[in-house]
Amino acid sequence: MEDKSILIVISGFSGAGKGTLVKRLISDYDNYALSVSMTTRAPRPGEVEGKDYFYVTKEAFEERIRDNGLIEYAQYVGNYYGTPRDYVEEQLAKGRDVILEIEIQGALKIREQYKDALLLFVMPPSAAELKNRLLKRATETEEAIRNRLRRAAEESEGIDEYEYIVINDDLDACVRELHSLIRAAHYAAKRNEGFISRIKSELETYR
Ligand code: 5GP
């Protein structure tokens, strides 16, 4: 079976812990490449240019949109976020599974363009736990936290568009679950149409 690389979209409410999960997937397993997004939001303390995001001005972002340099982009709580095209296409061509950690509007745009993309949604065990985690992060104002919770309520409407949900309660267990779901996705019939039709045509000779 030819093992085609998969474009993996991981979404989840802000504070659900998806950033930590994604970092663990990259460090625990070999075959993943993480796409670094472009954003117009300011870096948070400790964030690094080129590692967490490429931080750009609104003008530079809009130029990138016009040049077709992003495979998707969205506005989230007043800022632009987008996925640079080159890296994703290069890594998929090399046979690596590429992870996009993006919000829901972007996820849906990816699914329109890449029909075999795998959409995963990370949930907290409860809404109260989500609020706790945002408060603990303490890098943002109360107003920003309120906006993120409001946005989570809106985003919860779209969860049924995703293929699988995972609950981030125990980090180690959640990393293993995500990896297993991705491995299983490689064997889905819908992602192996080429192989299936080859076997079918080989079998034609026995009819
Ligand atoms: P944060 O400001 O907390 O880093 O990210 C805010 C939201 O934007 C998160 O839900 C994150 O997944 C999403 N996001 C980050 N990069 C991208 C991107 O390239 N495209 C889209 N559509 N969303 C993104």
Side-chain angles (χ1 to χ4, degrees):
M1 195 168 90
E2 73 258 41
D3 204 3
K4 242 180 30 187
S5 48
I6 298 184
L7 184 54
I8 302 154
V9 173
I10 300 186
S11 303
F13 310 130
S14 180
K18 56 189 186 311
T20 315
L21 277 171
V22 164
K23 285 192 190 94
R24 277 285 306 274
L25 269 179
I26 305 285
S27 66
D28 289 9
Y29 303 98
D30 283 341
N31 195 46
Y32 299 121
L34 177 62
S35 159
V36 177
S37 294
M38 188 168 272
T39 185
T40 57
R41 93 150 155 71
R44 293 195 189 113
E47 287 186 345
V48 178
E49 159 75 20
K51 187 162 165 276
D52 295 287
Y53 283 105
F54 297 107
Y55 301 93
V56 299
T57 60
K58 186 162 174 278
E59 290 68 32
F61 196 100
E62 287 173 346
E63 190 180 327
R64 194 67 176 245
I65 298 173
R66 282 194 299 277
D67 294 347
N68 196 26
L70 302 172
I71 55 176
E72 63 74 36
Y73 67 92
Q75 296 218 27
Y76 181 94
V77 196
N79 285 299
Y80 276 128
Y81 294 82
T83 305
R85 179 181 303 281
D86 295 356
Y87 180 80
V88 169
E89 293 188 344
E90 264 166 41
Q91 295 296 317
L92 286 174
K94 280 191 192 159
R96 300 181 81 193
D97 288 344
V98 179
I99 300 179
L100 310 183
E101 189 214 312
I102 66 177
E103 54 65 71
I104 193 159
Q105 305 163 58
L108 300 180
K109 284 187 222 151
I110 291 294
R111 200 181 49 191
E112 282 166 20
Q113 295 170 69
Y114 299 82
K115 73 173 176 54
D116 289 343
L118 173 64
L119 271 58
L120 305 172
F121 199 95
V122 180
M123 309 259 253
S126 68
E129 176 59 20
L130 181 66
K131 188 172 173 196
N132 266 340
R133 289 183 192 175
L134 284 171
L135 289 171
K136 260 195 246 149
R137 185 146 84 184
T139 52
E140 275 164 278
T141 62
E142 240 174 78
E143 197 204 339
I145 293 177
R146 224 175 306 121
N147 282 335
R148 281 168 187 268
L149 286 168
R150 190 175 315 121
R151 178 67 187 231
E154 284 164 23
E155 287 196 331
S156 65
E157 305 270 326
I159 300 176
D160 356 350
E161 301 285 339
Y162 285 73
E163 204 162 335
Y164 297 106
I165 60 163
V166 287
I167 313 268
N168 186 13
D169 199 355
D170 171 333
L171 181 68
D172 288 328
C174 195
V175 171
R176 286 195 301 271
E177 270 167 27
L178 276 172
H179 179 67
S180 313
L181 288 169
I182 296 164
R183 290 314 311 154
H186 277 267
Y187 298 92
K190 74 166 193 177
R191 294 193 178 85
N192 290 283
E193 283 168 359
F195 177 71
I196 294 169
S197 64
R198 198 180 79 224
I199 296 277
K200 279 184 176 167
S201 72
E202 286 169 11
L203 286 169
E204 274 307 307
T205 54
Y206 299 104
R207 263 193 208 278

